[in-house]
Amino acid sequence: MTIPTPDTPRYTPGYRALVLLLLLAAYTVNFIDRTIIAIVGPAIRAELGLTSTQIGMLGGLYFALLYTLLGIPIARLAERMNRVNILTVSLVVWSAFTALCGAAGNFLVLALCRFGVGIGEAGCSPPAHSLISDYFEPRRRASAMAVYGLGVPLGIMFGAAAGGWLAQTLGWRAAFVVIGLPGIVLAVVFKLLVREPPRGQADREARLAAGLPAAAEAPPVPLSLGHELREIGAVVRALFGKWPVFHMAIGITLVSFGLYGSNQFTPQYFIAAFGLDLTTVGLVIGLISGVSAGVGTLAGGFIADRLARISPAWYALTPAIGLAICTPIYILAFVQPSWHTAALILLAPGLFQYTYLGPTFGVIQNSVDVRRRATATAVLFFFLNLIALGGGPPFTGWVIDQLAQVRFAGAGGSGVWTLLQAWVGGAGGGAVPFASACPGGVAPDGAATHLVQACRTALADGSRGGLIVTFMFYAWASVHYFLAAIGMARHLRGHHD
């Protein structure tokens, strides 16, 4: 493998693989730092006396606000400036703020640190997607995006396994510090090894290989506010003005809404329902994410690229079918009386759910011009994360709090379906508030045995019901991916022509 220099050929297969591997490592660290709050959330909640809604805000809205708002300005810089530098600085910033979370003494300081993590992570995927598009030709782009997207399940796996063990043995504060610092080392390695490619390099190579003319890289237009706004507007029209891309954008937003919400509170459910410790929960969730979700992510990109040779509609049909299959399997897992059975079942749905990542990002990149690719990712993430990351965890946390109140009031029978019916019917409103009787979801020290059991049952049943409600967003997303298949072939042919 040769790292390219001005005197050697650019981008050997080995070097492209190295770049993709380093981008995958950055995205893995990104998701570790983003989602560790989920696995250590129960420990934070117990120490600081927080509600599920507050934990949801830490894992969702407080991270998502600046992450979302800064994404587009950073992406516009990435269309003009060195993307490797932008990603390097961003990696340092979000890793440092993750480590600082360990010094937080109250909810406000922890929230400010999560804002900081969001600031740094805003500079990750927009330049990364643009770099991948310049290293990999269109027909391999969904596969390359799937490899990059593997950072999601790998990040959840390592964050859950390592975070759970660290929180159990050293405390949640040390977990943040130990998890955050390696990202700074990775930033140095990334800067030393990755070169900035010419814009549209892979597209030109593909056209020349096909015997078609290929224009040289065009310089960026002089900077002006009007031009920047027009470029953003053009990307918005490309994403939301074309039927197939619009429905894929809605689909990935709905999937992410369910994913962020469920990931935030699955550890809480296993602890409350089955009495597991943080180390065990981290290993269970980590292995599930690393195996099934990882295989599903890779399979989605490679299968879609292969089937797209028959019809480009498979870029939408692959995730549509996967999401339709995974929804009932998730629900089945969370109504099991044994955590062993639930964990075993949870090995299956990720194989189907995570097929959406590679095809969606591949289609987005193939739908815009070379100097709009970072912006396309940022615009997509603006809507996706404002709704999904900002709303998913708080929504699930709110539903859990509501259902826990209903169960604590003694309403809804003993099953999850009767509990949901009682909540819809307005039960539990006049009883003692669950949040005050069970601060942090548990009974106060020295409380009577019946209160200890009532708090635990309410939190467990509320968590189960809230997660099942959240899983329904996967089925909703599946509908939009099926709709995206209509006209996909015509859309992609028209853009490449």
Side-chain angles (χ1 to χ4, degrees):
M1 177 178 63
T2 302
I3 297 176
T5 68
D7 300 320
T8 61
R10 289 184 183 273
Y11 319 135
T12 64
Y15 181 69
R16 294 175 198 256
L18 171 64
V19 171
L20 188 57
L21 180 63
L22 289 173
L23 288 170
L24 166 60
Y27 200 36
T28 300
V29 170
N30 178 295
F31 251 81
I32 291 174
D33 294 356
R34 182 185 309 190
T35 60
I36 187 179
I37 194 85
I39 196 68
V40 303
I44 296 173
R45 176 175 180 165
E47 179 177 328
L48 301 183
L50 307 181
T51 65
S52 291
T53 303
Q54 287 177 305
I55 291 294
M57 298 292 276
L58 289 173
L61 186 61
Y62 293 159
F63 169 87
L65 275 176
L66 291 180
Y67 176 77
T68 301
L69 293 175
L70 292 177
I72 294 177
I74 292 175
R76 291 310 304 161
L77 289 177
E79 307 292 15
R80 296 175 168 276
M81 299 174 64
N82 188 296
R83 293 162 289 185
V84 174
N85 290 344
I86 291 173
L87 212 157
T88 300
V89 172
S90 299
L91 184 49
V92 171
V93 171
W94 87 63
S95 299
F97 272 107
T98 297
L100 286 173
C101 286
N106 54 54
F107 178 75
L108 176 60
V109 175
L110 190 55
L112 291 175
C113 289
R114 292 296 291 172
F115 276 119
V117 176
I119 291 172
E121 294 200 6
C124 180
S125 282
H129 284 194
S130 181
L131 285 169
I132 290 171
S133 294
D134 284 338
Y135 276 108
F136 295 90
E137 60 185 307
R139 67 184 182 88
R140 297 179 57 202
R141 211 160 272 162
S143 300
M145 289 294 179
V147 174
Y148 174 77
L150 193 61
V152 175
L154 288 180
I156 295 172
M157 178 183 73
F158 290 124
W165 181 80
L166 289 168
Q168 185 75 28
T169 56
L170 302 177
W172 64 267
R173 298 180 185 279
F176 276 115
V177 175
V178 174
I179 289 293
L181 293 180
I184 298 175
V185 177
L186 177 60
V188 176
V189 174
F190 186 85
K191 174 58 180 173
L192 291 175
L193 295 183
V194 179
R195 293 192 62 193
E196 177 75 8
R199 308 284 171 154
Q201 176 73 11
D203 296 82
R204 283 192 295 275
E205 290 176 358
R207 291 185 65 85
L208 290 172
L212 299 173
E217 177 187 4
V221 176
L223 179 64
S224 71
L225 178 60
H227 173 74
E228 296 304 303
L229 293 177
R230 286 192 296 273
E231 287 294 287
I232 294 171
V235 170
V236 170
R237 289 191 297 273
L239 297 186
F240 300 101
K242 303 290 186 181
W243 173 279
V245 188
F246 168 78
H247 282 287
M248 291 196 87
I250 297 300
I252 193 174
T253 300
L254 293 170
V255 176
S256 300
F257 191 97
L259 177 66
Y260 287 126
S262 61
N263 281 352
Q264 183 71 50
F265 293 101
T266 295
Q268 174 177 287
Y269 168 72
F270 275 95
I271 291 171
F274 304 113
L276 302 183
D277 57 41
L278 284 173
T279 300
T280 304
V281 170
L283 287 174
V284 169
I285 295 174
L287 288 174
I288 289 170
S289 299
V291 176
S292 64
V295 172
T297 300
L298 287 176
F302 284 91
I303 289 173
D305 268 344
R306 177 62 62 87
L307 293 178
R309 299 174 187 175
I310 301 171
S311 170
W314 281 103
Y315 283 127
L317 292 175
T318 300
I321 295 170
L323 290 165
I325 293 173
C326 80
T327 303
I329 303 177
Y330 273 120
I331 295 173
L332 177 65
F334 280 82
V335 295
Q336 299 303 311
S338 162
W339 75 264
H340 299 88
T341 305
L344 186 62
I345 295 173
L346 283 174
L347 284 170
L351 296 170
F352 304 99
Q353 175 198 350
Y354 282 81
T355 55
Y356 76 95
L357 279 168
T360 304
F361 291 138
V363 167
I364 295 297
Q365 292 294 294
N366 287 340
S367 298
V368 294
D369 296 332
V370 294
R371 286 197 179 271
R372 293 173 177 171
R373 286 172 174 165
T375 307
T377 298
V379 169
L380 174 65
F381 278 15
F382 178 88
F383 293 97
L384 185 157
N385 287 315
L386 194 62
I387 296 171
L389 185 53
F395 170 81
T396 305
W398 175 78
V399 174
I400 289 172
D401 284 339
Q402 297 298 307
L403 293 174
Q405 175 62 39
V406 173
R407 175 62 78 229
F408 189 71
S414 58
V416 64
W417 306 115
T418 54
L419 176 62
L420 291 170
Q421 290 171 0
W423 173 49
V424 173
V432 176
F434 168 74
S436 59
C438 309
V442 296
D445 292 340
T449 302
H450 76 275
L451 179 59
V452 172
Q453 185 59 43
C455 291
R456 178 178 174 180
T457 300
L459 183 60
D461 289 354
S463 298
R464 178 187 293 113
L467 287 166
I468 287 174
V469 169
T470 302
F471 293 140
M472 297 308 298
F473 282 88
Y474 298 152
W476 185 1
S478 175
V479 174
H480 285 280
Y481 275 105
F482 275 116
L483 292 173
I486 302 172
M488 179 65 73
R490 183 171 60 255
H491 165 70
L492 291 179
R493 280 197 304 268
H495 183 76
H496 290 306
D497 293 344

